[in-house]
Amino acid sequence: MSKSLPMSEGVFTDIESLRSLLDAVPHPIFIKDDQTRWVVVNEMMCQLMNRGYDDLVGQFDEAFFPREQIDVFRSNDLHVLATGEINENEELFSDGDGRLRTIVTRKKRVLLTNGVRLLVGCITDISDFRCAEALIRHHADHDALTGLANRRSFRNRIEEHSARANRSSSGFAILLVDLDDFKPVNDIYGHAAGDSVLCEVSRRLEKVVRKGDTVARLGGDEFAIAAETKRSPATEASRLASRVIAAIRKPIMVGEVSIEVGASIGIAKSSVDGNTAEGLLHAADLAMYRGKHEGRGTYRFFSPEMDIEVREQIALETEFRKAVAGGEIQPYYQPLISLVDNQLLGFEILARWHHSERGLIPPDMFIPLAEKLGLISGLSLSLLRRAGEDAKTWPDHLRLSLNISPFQLSDPTLPIALIGVLNEVGFPPGRLEVEITESALVSDLSSAKAILTSFQNLGIRVALDDFGTGYSSLHHLRELRFDTIKIDRSFVQSIRTNPESEMIVNAILGLARNLGISATAEGIENTDVLQHMTDGGAKVGQGYYFGKATPASDVPSVIQRIRGKQSHGNTG
Ligand code: C2E
Ligand code: CA
Ligand code: CA
């Protein structure tokens, strides 16, 4: 059957030479890497597939060939390629300076190239493929990247599971698995790395399911499992979900980098949550959506009220997009007061959404939405622009404080964008402070540091917001030279009733003093608390005692009132 390989020199310097070597083999051959993607295919393979070389390289083999139709390592020709006349572990091909080395071991018949495991497959009997139809069908039913069932065939598989369940009085569960934090993988490491992660995730999913269960890739970073359940569907499905989460959470090595993703899972149970493939997938989708909202890396079972909530959420998102585009999100202003001389120092900009039916919507409701929808940066800039306009009529020593969401701190263009807005409205950078929370520093301290430093270089002050609630790390305070620490209102408010709060507030005030950072006490609602904060050395105060956040139209009267209070002495 075979024509022996041209092993003249046994040397090739790159993939191209290997390719031309394989072109001489009269059988379709592919070499795949450990991600089971084709690295090299020969001329015969291209002919068989009726596709160009560049089209095929990079593809996942099983997108085309069911495993049973590939005679991996068994062809005579391949045997020559794989073992030749040489001894185990002997080098077959190598370049002069060892850049690309191919080793073949007799036992494992694995080619090693530059330390990458390459598997060699050879299609020995083309007559197996006489049914090109089967090939095409396979392609249509499988995801080209991972080789898993695709959405279309998954639906069919659900119907099959359903029929089987009816016959055997067993049941099945649909697990919708959505990766957490996958998008940054593509953004940071590129699409090839993203693809490798998806392939590895599919392999892990296939490992954790039982025989007979179906794993599919529905698209993007969304996977699904149809798993048979017997006596206790809920328990069995939760166990599987926990196994999936644990399997995906383990770091994935792509080349030299270790990448971590997680998974959120929604579960729907057959016959309870739906009878059709569509219904079950929808239910699992809603449950997954809920899981994402309540904290990632978990699983949720579908319950009927999710349907209503999600519809509302989607409606809210649509309205919110419109509101942002239509400038319906307005800046409100809450006074910041000097505790040294009771003077008005400026205002914190707090976003408010005036909704025609729902009324005034607080930022805790829509800021997360803005973050999720990628609208937060635009929103911040538009709030700052409007605040800068509003401030034109105020006394020109007054400062503005702008809240910056952690998401924005991964954008190195942020400082320039803010300066651009300030220039546009003629508001000096020295009168602006940005407020960030500590959570923004945790994921990537060095890039946060770079951005915060450029703020300060541009003359913008930087405040650490809500201090005491999150990590409260001394390291962060040392690493970044904050101009202000804002003590979270929860401690300030309970200072008289909770001894622990008192200790924390005193500790933060001490820390600020030692580091030479100004401390702002948030949430001052009465004179008692005010007195305590003043005695403790807080330099700036904020809270309902001085005034709530108000629209621009009320600011002049707020300025008047505070002036009045100041001249009458601060008695509340
Ligand atoms: P924050 O930055 O800690 O803002 C202070 C919050 O405390 C404000 O709530 C304010 O109204 C409230 N507050 C002030 N004084 C008192 C007081 O004496 N007692 C009580 N009980 N509460 C007081 P608000 O306006 O609802 O804002 C909530 C959070 O939403 C803000 O917390 C901030 O994290 C976020 N936020 C608001 N506007 C923006 C924005 O434009 N961008 C971003 N990224 N976040 C914003
Ligand atoms: Ca704030
Ligand atoms: Ca705060």
Side-chain angles (χ1 to χ4, degrees), residues 450-461:
I451 293 179
L452 296 182
T453 306
S454 55
F455 276 133
Q456 289 173 325
N457 291 340
L458 294 163
I460 298 172
R461 297 160 56 91

mmCIF file with all atom_site columns, all heavy atoms in Angstrom, residues 450-461:
data_model
loop_
_atom_site.group_PDB
_atom_site.id
_atom_site.type_symbol
_atom_site.label_atom_id
_atom_site.label_alt_id
_atom_site.label_comp_id
_atom_site.label_asym_id
_atom_site.label_entity_id
_atom_site.label_seq_id
_atom_site.pdbx_PDB_ins_code
_atom_site.Cartn_x
_atom_site.Cartn_y
_atom_site.Cartn_z
_atom_site.occupancy
_atom_site.B_iso_or_equiv
_atom_site.pdbx_formal_charge
_atom_site.auth_seq_id
_atom_site.auth_comp_id
_atom_site.auth_asym_id
_atom_site.auth_atom_id
_atom_site.pdbx_PDB_model_num
ATOM 1  N N   . ALA A 1 450 ? -1.396 53.549 37.658 1.00 0.00 ? 450 ALA A N   1
ATOM 2  C CA  . ALA A 1 450 ? -0.970 54.402 36.539 1.00 0.00 ? 450 ALA A CA  1
ATOM 3  C C   . ALA A 1 450 ? -2.035 55.448 36.223 1.00 0.00 ? 450 ALA A C   1
ATOM 4  O O   . ALA A 1 450 ? -1.723 56.627 36.027 1.00 0.00 ? 450 ALA A O   1
ATOM 5  C CB  . ALA A 1 450 ? -0.695 53.535 35.308 1.00 0.00 ? 450 ALA A CB  1
ATOM 6  N N   . ILE A 1 451 ? -3.287 55.012 36.206 1.00 0.00 ? 451 ILE A N   1
ATOM 7  C CA  . ILE A 1 451 ? -4.366 55.953 35.868 1.00 0.00 ? 451 ILE A CA  1
ATOM 8  C C   . ILE A 1 451 ? -4.515 57.011 36.964 1.00 0.00 ? 451 ILE A C   1
ATOM 9  O O   . ILE A 1 451 ? -4.626 58.207 36.683 1.00 0.00 ? 451 ILE A O   1
ATOM 10 C CB  . ILE A 1 451 ? -5.688 55.201 35.630 1.00 0.00 ? 451 ILE A CB  1
ATOM 11 C CG1 . ILE A 1 451 ? -5.564 54.347 34.365 1.00 0.00 ? 451 ILE A CG1 1
ATOM 12 C CG2 . ILE A 1 451 ? -6.858 56.174 35.492 1.00 0.00 ? 451 ILE A CG2 1
ATOM 13 C CD1 . ILE A 1 451 ? -6.777 53.527 34.029 1.00 0.00 ? 451 ILE A CD1 1
ATOM 14 N N   . LEU A 1 452 ? -4.493 56.558 38.214 1.00 0.00 ? 452 LEU A N   1
ATOM 15 C CA  . LEU A 1 452 ? -4.653 57.508 39.322 1.00 0.00 ? 452 LEU A CA  1
ATOM 16 C C   . LEU A 1 452 ? -3.496 58.506 39.365 1.00 0.00 ? 452 LEU A C   1
ATOM 17 O O   . LEU A 1 452 ? -3.686 59.695 39.638 1.00 0.00 ? 452 LEU A O   1
ATOM 18 C CB  . LEU A 1 452 ? -4.783 56.756 40.647 1.00 0.00 ? 452 LEU A CB  1
ATOM 19 C CG  . LEU A 1 452 ? -6.048 55.883 40.728 1.00 0.00 ? 452 LEU A CG  1
ATOM 20 C CD1 . LEU A 1 452 ? -6.160 55.206 42.077 1.00 0.00 ? 452 LEU A CD1 1
ATOM 21 C CD2 . LEU A 1 452 ? -7.309 56.701 40.450 1.00 0.00 ? 452 LEU A CD2 1
ATOM 22 N N   . THR A 1 453 ? -2.303 58.007 39.067 1.00 0.00 ? 453 THR A N   1
ATOM 23 C CA  . THR A 1 453 ? -1.162 58.910 39.051 1.00 0.00 ? 453 THR A CA  1
ATOM 24 C C   . THR A 1 453 ? -1.314 59.947 37.939 1.00 0.00 ? 453 THR A C   1
ATOM 25 O O   . THR A 1 453 ? -1.005 61.123 38.132 1.00 0.00 ? 453 THR A O   1
ATOM 26 C CB  . THR A 1 453 ? 0.155  58.119 38.867 1.00 0.00 ? 453 THR A CB  1
ATOM 27 O OG1 . THR A 1 453 ? 0.194  57.118 39.880 1.00 0.00 ? 453 THR A OG1 1
ATOM 28 C CG2 . THR A 1 453 ? 1.371  59.011 38.991 1.00 0.00 ? 453 THR A CG2 1
ATOM 29 N N   . SER A 1 454 ? -1.835 59.505 36.780 1.00 0.00 ? 454 SER A N   1
ATOM 30 C CA  . SER A 1 454 ? -1.972 60.517 35.722 1.00 0.00 ? 454 SER A CA  1
ATOM 31 C C   . SER A 1 454 ? -3.059 61.529 36.078 1.00 0.00 ? 454 SER A C   1
ATOM 32 O O   . SER A 1 454 ? -2.938 62.694 35.728 1.00 0.00 ? 454 SER A O   1
ATOM 33 C CB  . SER A 1 454 ? -2.136 59.924 34.322 1.00 0.00 ? 454 SER A CB  1
ATOM 34 O OG  . SER A 1 454 ? -3.183 59.044 34.268 1.00 0.00 ? 454 SER A OG  1
ATOM 35 N N   . PHE A 1 455 ? -4.103 61.105 36.796 1.00 0.00 ? 455 PHE A N   1
ATOM 36 C CA  . PHE A 1 455 ? -5.066 62.093 37.308 1.00 0.00 ? 455 PHE A CA  1
ATOM 37 C C   . PHE A 1 455 ? -4.337 63.156 38.124 1.00 0.00 ? 455 PHE A C   1
ATOM 38 O O   . PHE A 1 455 ? -4.511 64.360 37.919 1.00 0.00 ? 455 PHE A O   1
ATOM 39 C CB  . PHE A 1 455 ? -6.101 61.444 38.238 1.00 0.00 ? 455 PHE A CB  1
ATOM 40 C CG  . PHE A 1 455 ? -7.271 60.831 37.516 1.00 0.00 ? 455 PHE A CG  1
ATOM 41 C CD1 . PHE A 1 455 ? -7.718 59.559 37.839 1.00 0.00 ? 455 PHE A CD1 1
ATOM 42 C CD2 . PHE A 1 455 ? -7.947 61.532 36.527 1.00 0.00 ? 455 PHE A CD2 1
ATOM 43 C CE1 . PHE A 1 455 ? -8.801 58.994 37.186 1.00 0.00 ? 455 PHE A CE1 1
ATOM 44 C CE2 . PHE A 1 455 ? -9.033 60.977 35.870 1.00 0.00 ? 455 PHE A CE2 1
ATOM 45 C CZ  . PHE A 1 455 ? -9.463 59.698 36.203 1.00 0.00 ? 455 PHE A CZ  1
ATOM 46 N N   . GLN A 1 456 ? -3.515 62.665 39.050 1.00 0.00 ? 456 GLN A N   1
ATOM 47 C CA  . GLN A 1 456 ? -2.850 63.599 39.956 1.00 0.00 ? 456 GLN A CA  1
ATOM 48 C C   . GLN A 1 456 ? -1.860 64.492 39.206 1.00 0.00 ? 456 GLN A C   1
ATOM 49 O O   . GLN A 1 456 ? -1.745 65.675 39.507 1.00 0.00 ? 456 GLN A O   1
ATOM 50 C CB  . GLN A 1 456 ? -2.194 62.832 41.103 1.00 0.00 ? 456 GLN A CB  1
ATOM 51 C CG  . GLN A 1 456 ? -3.263 62.275 42.047 1.00 0.00 ? 456 GLN A CG  1
ATOM 52 C CD  . GLN A 1 456 ? -2.722 61.347 43.122 1.00 0.00 ? 456 GLN A CD  1
ATOM 53 O OE1 . GLN A 1 456 ? -1.782 60.599 42.882 1.00 0.00 ? 456 GLN A OE1 1
ATOM 54 N NE2 . GLN A 1 456 ? -3.324 61.389 44.307 1.00 0.00 ? 456 GLN A NE2 1
ATOM 55 N N   . ASN A 1 457 ? -1.189 63.901 38.197 1.00 0.00 ? 457 ASN A N   1
ATOM 56 C CA  . ASN A 1 457 ? -0.278 64.722 37.396 1.00 0.00 ? 457 ASN A CA  1
ATOM 57 C C   . ASN A 1 457 ? -1.022 65.818 36.637 1.00 0.00 ? 457 ASN A C   1
ATOM 58 O O   . ASN A 1 457 ? -0.474 66.867 36.340 1.00 0.00 ? 457 ASN A O   1
ATOM 59 C CB  . ASN A 1 457 ? 0.503  63.864 36.397 1.00 0.00 ? 457 ASN A CB  1
ATOM 60 C CG  . ASN A 1 457 ? 1.496  62.968 37.121 1.00 0.00 ? 457 ASN A CG  1
ATOM 61 O OD1 . ASN A 1 457 ? 1.853  63.234 38.275 1.00 0.00 ? 457 ASN A OD1 1
ATOM 62 N ND2 . ASN A 1 457 ? 1.916  61.899 36.478 1.00 0.00 ? 457 ASN A ND2 1
ATOM 63 N N   . LEU A 1 458 ? -2.265 65.553 36.319 1.00 0.00 ? 458 LEU A N   1
ATOM 64 C CA  . LEU A 1 458 ? -3.072 66.547 35.615 1.00 0.00 ? 458 LEU A CA  1
ATOM 65 C C   . LEU A 1 458 ? -3.723 67.536 36.584 1.00 0.00 ? 458 LEU A C   1
ATOM 66 O O   . LEU A 1 458 ? -4.487 68.409 36.179 1.00 0.00 ? 458 LEU A O   1
ATOM 67 C CB  . LEU A 1 458 ? -4.169 65.858 34.793 1.00 0.00 ? 458 LEU A CB  1
ATOM 68 C CG  . LEU A 1 458 ? -3.682 64.996 33.612 1.00 0.00 ? 458 LEU A CG  1
ATOM 69 C CD1 . LEU A 1 458 ? -4.771 64.053 33.122 1.00 0.00 ? 458 LEU A CD1 1
ATOM 70 C CD2 . LEU A 1 458 ? -3.217 65.893 32.475 1.00 0.00 ? 458 LEU A CD2 1
ATOM 71 N N   . GLY A 1 459 ? -3.458 67.339 37.865 1.00 0.00 ? 459 GLY A N   1
ATOM 72 C CA  . GLY A 1 459 ? -3.979 68.272 38.867 1.00 0.00 ? 459 GLY A CA  1
ATOM 73 C C   . GLY A 1 459 ? -5.299 67.851 39.492 1.00 0.00 ? 459 GLY A C   1
ATOM 74 O O   . GLY A 1 459 ? -5.865 68.556 40.324 1.00 0.00 ? 459 GLY A O   1
ATOM 75 N N   . ILE A 1 460 ? -5.817 66.685 39.083 1.00 0.00 ? 460 ILE A N   1
ATOM 76 C CA  . ILE A 1 460 ? -7.093 66.200 39.638 1.00 0.00 ? 460 ILE A CA  1
ATOM 77 C C   . ILE A 1 460 ? -6.805 65.427 40.925 1.00 0.00 ? 460 ILE A C   1
ATOM 78 O O   . ILE A 1 460 ? -5.898 64.600 40.966 1.00 0.00 ? 460 ILE A O   1
ATOM 79 C CB  . ILE A 1 460 ? -7.807 65.283 38.610 1.00 0.00 ? 460 ILE A CB  1
ATOM 80 C CG1 . ILE A 1 460 ? -8.133 66.082 37.336 1.00 0.00 ? 460 ILE A CG1 1
ATOM 81 C CG2 . ILE A 1 460 ? -9.052 64.652 39.196 1.00 0.00 ? 460 ILE A CG2 1
ATOM 82 C CD1 . ILE A 1 460 ? -8.670 65.235 36.187 1.00 0.00 ? 460 ILE A CD1 1
ATOM 83 N N   . ARG A 1 461 ? -7.598 65.723 41.955 1.00 0.00 ? 461 ARG A N   1
ATOM 84 C CA  . ARG A 1 461 ? -7.396 65.022 43.227 1.00 0.00 ? 461 ARG A CA  1
ATOM 85 C C   . ARG A 1 461 ? -8.088 63.668 43.189 1.00 0.00 ? 461 ARG A C   1
ATOM 86 O O   . ARG A 1 461 ? -9.032 63.458 42.437 1.00 0.00 ? 461 ARG A O   1
ATOM 87 C CB  . ARG A 1 461 ? -7.942 65.853 44.380 1.00 0.00 ? 461 ARG A CB  1
ATOM 88 C CG  . ARG A 1 461 ? -7.238 67.195 44.576 1.00 0.00 ? 461 ARG A CG  1
ATOM 89 C CD  . ARG A 1 461 ? -8.123 68.133 45.368 1.00 0.00 ? 461 ARG A CD  1
ATOM 90 N NE  . ARG A 1 461 ? -8.518 67.553 46.653 1.00 0.00 ? 461 ARG A NE  1
ATOM 91 C CZ  . ARG A 1 461 ? -7.837 67.705 47.779 1.00 0.00 ? 461 ARG A CZ  1
ATOM 92 N NH1 . ARG A 1 461 ? -6.738 68.440 47.799 1.00 0.00 ? 461 ARG A NH1 1
ATOM 93 N NH2 . ARG A 1 461 ? -8.249 67.143 48.890 1.00 0.00 ? 461 ARG A NH2 1
#
